[in-house]
Amino acid sequence: MEKKTNIFLSFNTPFGLLMGGTFVVASYMYFQYNGNIYANPALDRTLTFLYIIGLFIQIRRYRENAGLQGYISYGKAVKTGSYLSVVTAFVYAVYTSFIYSAHPETLKNYLTTVESVFKELYPNSPLADNMTQMLHAFTTPLTMGFSEFISKTLLGVIYSLIVAAFLKKRRPTEI
């Protein structure tokens, strides 16, 4: 069992780090272009594309080259994709925390944007003020990184469920 775990980790961890690195590069390019990484539909679409392509490539590589003889169960494919998602999300979360720490104006712009949404949704309501106060109290670079970790992990798991359905391949049963 330990040997299988070591093969799993040693085969998938570098690719998960690479996927996280591509997320960082893409995000930083968008950040350089427009100064933010939040509420950016183009960045979201790019990261979705990178996620799906990366999961597809690595799950297939794992199926073909990690001693599985070209066969992988749906569960193992989901497990592989989920692991890749956690590694990728961790790298991206560290980057997000760093970006918001190094560029406090980005965090300030984020807070201003969310504050304006609250005021638009709840005009003339003390609820908007209360939500704004809570937002300012709990939004730090670390919490932004943590929320990115959770959201990117969940997205990756969802994409893994879909990609695994296409890549599963059962061993033929003997009759």
Side-chain angles (χ1 to χ4, degrees), residues 49-146:
F49 175 76
L50 291 172
Y51 235 144
I52 292 170
I53 295 300
L55 290 170
F56 184 85
I57 289 169
Q58 184 60 11
I59 293 170
R60 187 162 184 253
R61 272 186 68 225
Y62 182 62
R63 179 185 76 185
E64 302 299 326
N65 300 323
L68 300 175
Q69 294 132 4
Y71 301 104
I72 192 167
S73 67
Y74 179 76
K76 188 173 282 222
V78 170
K79 176 184 170 187
T80 304
S82 297
Y83 177 75
L84 290 167
S85 299
V86 168
V87 174
T88 301
F90 179 76
V91 171
Y92 191 70
V94 169
Y95 156 78
T96 302
S97 294
F98 174 76
I99 272 293
Y100 283 112
S101 294
H103 301 279
E105 70 280 357
T106 304
L107 186 60
K108 185 177 177 183
N109 291 341
Y110 169 78
L111 290 170
T112 303
T113 302
V114 174
E115 200 173 311
S116 68
V117 169
F118 285 159
K119 288 182 181 178
E120 196 174 301
L121 289 173
Y122 308 105
N124 302 324
S125 170
L127 185 60
D129 295 332
N130 290 340
M131 291 173 73
T132 300
Q133 288 174 350
M134 283 191 353
L135 181 72
H136 284 277
F138 293 110
T139 304
T140 65
L142 190 60
T143 59
M144 293 298 286
F146 180 73

